[in-house]
Structures are given as C-alpha cells and as structure tokens.
Amino acid sequence: SSLCEVEKYQPFFGLTEMEVAEATQYMNYFEKLRQCCGFQMSVYNRLRLHGCNITKYKSLSLYPNCEAIKNITAIERVFYSHELRKYSRSKDNDVNWSEIGDCARYDVMIRDGKDFNGSPFTGCNSTMDRVDRKQKKRKSFDVT
C-alpha cells in the first residue's frame, strides 16, 4: 500500500507532519479510485461488477472491498479538488479515472461487457482461473 510508504519520504524531502498528513490523505483517495474505478481497477472489483461469485477472494489482503464505499462520487469530488492533484494528472484517461463521474461511467461499461483496458470480458471462469494461477504463483515466491 502506498499509504505505508508516504512517511518514508518525510526525511528525504524534509516534509512537515502536516505535509505528510496531506500526502497520506491524497494517497488514500488515489488508492480507492485506482482500485475501484476505471478499466484498470482491481480484477476483483471487475469480477464483482460482471456478476461473478467472488466470495473466495473477499478474505484476501489484496481485495479492495469497493462495494463497501457508499459514496464513491464524494471521493471523486474530494480527490478532484485536492491541492496535490495538480501535480499528478493522469496520461491514460481512456482507461483510468480522470474526472468526477468516471467511476459510475466505467462501472456501466464493465457491467455491459468491457473488461481490463476496455477489452471484451471473457467470462467469470476464465478470468477467475487466471487470477487463481497468479495467486498460486505469487504464493510460491513468498518467503516466510
């Protein structure tokens, strides 16, 4: 999570506590929008929007729990007007969030059959098989 990383930059850039708090708040909004909005949102949220049974993924630490966000438009508004946003304009506005209302717009397109980067959705089973293979591979690299 990038939220955990913000404080690490404090000594390097000489940030005040207030600047760290503001950057942390900004990254919190950014992560929610990055994981829950756009064609590059979390695969788990795309699966959910496609109507797939995602129960087995809900306990994963990577699961973004986008459905728990009751008012994503409020997050869009706050993020859109955040002071730090002027330094981070997205270059890939065709696939990621860029303005208020994009979350709802992308959700509709995904429910209508689009998927990652706007490609056609290939089905719950094939996508979940791909996710499961990646998880298995990721676990094989984990060192305890």
Side-chain angles (χ1 to χ4, degrees), residues 18-132:
M18 181 67 95
E19 290 168 326
V20 169
E22 189 160 326
T24 301
Q25 177 191 52
Y26 175 82
M27 291 308 299
N28 181 44
Y29 297 134
F30 173 83
E31 282 189 355
K32 283 179 174 57
L33 293 176
R34 185 72 173 103
Q35 293 177 338
C36 300
C37 299
F39 282 139
Q40 293 183 351
M41 72 174 70
S42 163
V43 66
Y44 306 112
N45 198 44
R46 290 194 322 271
L47 284 166
R48 182 183 69 81
L49 290 170
H50 286 303
C52 305
N53 182 350
I54 56 164
T55 304
K56 69 180 183 177
Y57 301 119
K58 287 187 173 190
S59 63
L60 298 176
S61 62
L62 294 173
Y63 186 77
N65 202 22
C66 298
E67 63 272 26
I69 300 172
K70 298 301 177 206
N71 190 351
I72 196 79
T73 305
I75 294 171
E76 289 178 298
R77 281 192 192 102
V78 172
F79 184 77
Y80 190 82
S81 62
H82 198 284
E83 179 67 20
L84 292 179
R85 186 170 177 270
K86 65 184 176 189
Y87 301 108
S88 66
R89 301 283 180 190
S90 178
K91 304 287 188 261
D92 52 0
N93 294 346
D94 292 340
V95 294
N96 287 317
W97 183 93
S98 65
E99 59 188 51
I100 299 166
D102 276 356
C103 288
R105 184 172 62 87
Y106 281 111
D107 284 2
V108 167
M109 288 189 283
I110 288 171
R111 284 187 182 109
D112 286 346
K114 297 288 186 186
D115 202 49
F116 187 75
N117 282 348
S119 63
F121 181 57
T122 57
C124 295
N125 291 339
S126 63
T127 304
M128 291 168 77
D129 287 347
R130 210 169 38 251
V131 169
D132 293 344

Side-chain angles (χ1 to χ4, degrees), residues 126-140:
S126 63
T127 304
M128 291 168 77
D129 287 347
R130 210 169 38 251
V131 169
D132 293 344
R133 281 193 306 274
K134 277 186 176 181
Q135 282 181 338
K136 194 173 185 178
K137 190 181 278 188
R138 195 176 285 135
K139 284 181 183 178
S140 70

